[in-house]
Amino acid sequence: MGCGGSKAGGSRPQQTLKILTLGVAGSGKSTIAKQMKIIHSSDASAVFTPQQKQNYRDIIWRNLFRGLSDISQSIDLADEAEGEVSEDAIAFFKELKKRTSDGEQPDTSEALAHVRSLLADTSITELLSTDTDLIPPNFAYYVRHKDRVLQEDFDPTNNDILQARQRSTGLARTTFARDKLIWELLDAGGQPTERRKWYRAFEEDITAILFICALNEFDVQSEFSEKTQMEESLEEFESLVNSEAVNGRSVILFLNKVDLFSTKLSRGANVSEIYPNYKAGSDTKAGVEFFTKLFLRKIKDKAQRESIWVHATCAVDTKQVSVIFNAIFVRIFEERMALSGLG
């Protein structure tokens, strides 16, 4: 029997189409992977196993602890409080960053008690429940849902899990069935040490490349260099799309976190201070068009530049992500059919 043949009467193996997601740390790649699980699950209440939910619960609590630690370095919470707040709680989070950098992990019950103590103050809760340059959006989300999140028996919802932030390493795989095909989303880590491994993933039969950039981080300095997150994204995108690795593969660009980008513009962020040619002011649509052109100019091949798919996205919006991926799946399938001569 020839290689790749099937047994008599047996069914032909389903084809697997692989989408490789790339982008710098914090762009939203892992959130997209979680969305694929949610969107393609037959039971929205059972997308994640009890063990996975417990792991996400711990991640969410760590997001809160780290958020309070970072915020307490810049904001004097005692001055912001309506009444007296625990000095022990404030000291705990001020010292937490150094303790964790030394490898020490906080006691969860103690840390939760300190969070509850601080958020018992109405003024502090009001301050921390609105995202700003100093208060991350997912942190503000959890503060708004503190009555659930701070319970010892907290059971995260799908939306809670979408907001959870954890650095990805290696190549995480999310597999799902759709349109009688098996799809696999490969999420590659976005830290510099992980980016060096990106091209190893192309040793697999990659169908499409999804590059994700966080629009709202046009002025956020990378924790790994003196560049902004946007500058790092543009550099990585340019290197990728002009390499031989993408030949014959569909390329998709997500300008992600468009909701946070819009909020930032409405609060007076001046993009032109970093990009002098930026003339869009606080117009979100025009701003998206500006950054779209910025990315497209990085592509040397004209045919490739004209064929790339660009979407402005909000990765935590399940409905929007579902609509966009519906279009992506159809187009990838049609392109594969055309290449096989069946289109």
Side-chain angles (χ1 to χ4, degrees):
M1 182 167 58
C3 180
S6 58
K7 294 180 181 179
S11 60
R12 186 177 179 180
Q14 287 180 295
Q15 183 181 9
T16 299
L17 301 183
K18 298 184 180 183
I19 302 176
L20 176 63
T21 58
L22 303 173
V24 305
S27 59
K29 296 182 286 76
S30 298
T31 307
I32 292 295
K34 287 182 245 180
Q35 289 284 27
M36 292 301 98
K37 285 178 177 287
I38 293 169
I39 291 167
H40 295 95
S41 172
S42 58
D43 183 356
S45 65
V47 177
F48 303 97
T49 67
Q51 183 60 55
Q52 287 173 328
K53 294 180 85 171
Q54 184 175 325
N55 291 340
Y56 278 118
R57 180 201 64 188
D58 294 342
I59 291 168
I60 289 166
W61 283 343
R62 288 199 295 271
N63 287 172
L64 271 172
F65 303 157
R66 179 177 178 178
L68 265 174
S69 177
D70 291 342
I71 290 165
S72 65
Q73 311 301 318
S74 305
I75 300 174
D76 190 333
L77 294 176
D79 287 347
E80 300 292 339
E82 185 176 61
E84 290 189 12
V85 292
S86 168
E87 292 182 4
D88 288 343
I90 291 176
F92 177 88
F93 288 110
K94 279 188 175 181
E95 296 167 5
L96 184 61
K97 195 165 191 175
K98 183 180 184 305
R99 288 166 56 191
T100 52
S101 65
D102 291 339
E104 181 182 347
Q105 294 301 319
D107 178 79
T108 300
S109 295
E110 181 186 9
L112 283 172
H114 285 313
V115 177
R116 293 189 196 103
S117 172
L118 290 174
L119 296 185
D121 185 275
T122 305
S123 293
I124 289 180
T125 296
E126 186 175 340
L127 171 71
L128 300 181
S129 62
T130 304
D131 62 277
T132 65
D133 289 342
L134 296 176
I135 301 170
N138 73 318
F139 179 89
Y141 169 89
Y142 293 134
V143 171
R144 291 194 296 271
H145 294 85
K146 63 184 177 66
D147 292 341
R148 286 189 304 104
V149 173
L150 298 178
Q151 296 298 317
E152 294 282 355
D153 61 352
F154 168 50
D155 185 36
T157 65
N158 290 343
N159 283 335
D160 296 335
I161 290 171
L162 286 173
Q163 294 286 344
R165 299 290 175 262
Q166 183 182 36
R167 287 177 178 171
S168 55
T169 57
L171 200 61
R173 299 170 185 269
T174 302
T175 305
F176 50 93
R178 181 189 177 93
D179 300 328
K180 299 182 180 179
L181 293 170
I182 300 299
W183 296 79
E184 191 170 46
L185 195 74
L186 284 66
D187 174 16
Q191 300 170 66
T193 53
E194 295 296 322
R195 294 178 215 164
R196 300 186 194 112
K197 307 172 188 175
W198 283 1
Y199 291 90
R200 296 181 195 171
F202 287 100
E203 295 173 4
E204 300 192 29
D205 186 16
I206 301 298
T207 305
I209 303 152
L210 170 58
F211 191 92
I212 305 179
C213 163
L215 261 181
N216 65 313
E217 296 190 338
F218 62 85
D219 60 350
V220 176
Q221 184 174 337
S222 167
E223 61 179 295
F224 307 109
S225 73
E226 295 182 357
K227 301 169 185 174
T228 64
Q229 288 280 86
M230 178 64 75
E231 287 172 328
E232 285 198 355
S233 287
L234 285 163
E235 286 184 4
E236 294 292 352
F237 180 78
E238 181 176 19
S239 174
L240 175 72
V241 295
N242 295 309
S243 70
E244 292 183 1
V246 304
N247 288 349
R249 295 181 168 105
S250 304
V251 179
I252 307 151
L253 172 64
F254 276 10
L255 297 179
N256 193 33
K257 303 188 181 181
V258 66
D259 55 325
L260 303 180
F261 176 65
S262 181
T263 298
K264 207 165 195 175
L265 294 182
S266 68
R267 291 175 179 167
N270 190 354
V271 183
S272 60
E273 287 183 355
I274 301 172
Y275 296 96
N277 293 329
Y278 185 88
K279 309 296 182 186
S282 60
D283 186 329
T284 301
K285 184 178 179 180
V288 170
E289 290 175 357
F290 172 84
F291 283 106
T292 297
K293 291 176 182 177
L294 211 57
F295 274 91
L296 293 182
R297 281 200 291 268
K298 299 294 183 182
I299 306 173
K300 295 176 182 178
D301 183 79
K302 182 181 178 182
Q304 186 184 46
R305 189 164 57 244
E306 292 175 347
S307 65
I308 191 171
W309 320 340
V310 184
H311 297 274
T313 59
C314 171
V316 295
D317 184 337
T318 303
K319 185 176 180 180
Q320 189 218 43
V321 171
S322 180
V323 169
I324 289 172
F325 266 94
N326 280 341
I328 287 172
F329 291 138
V330 168
R331 185 165 173 181
I332 289 176
F333 180 75
E334 289 176 347
E335 286 189 351
R336 299 293 289 186
M337 292 289 285
L339 286 172
S340 66
L342 300 174

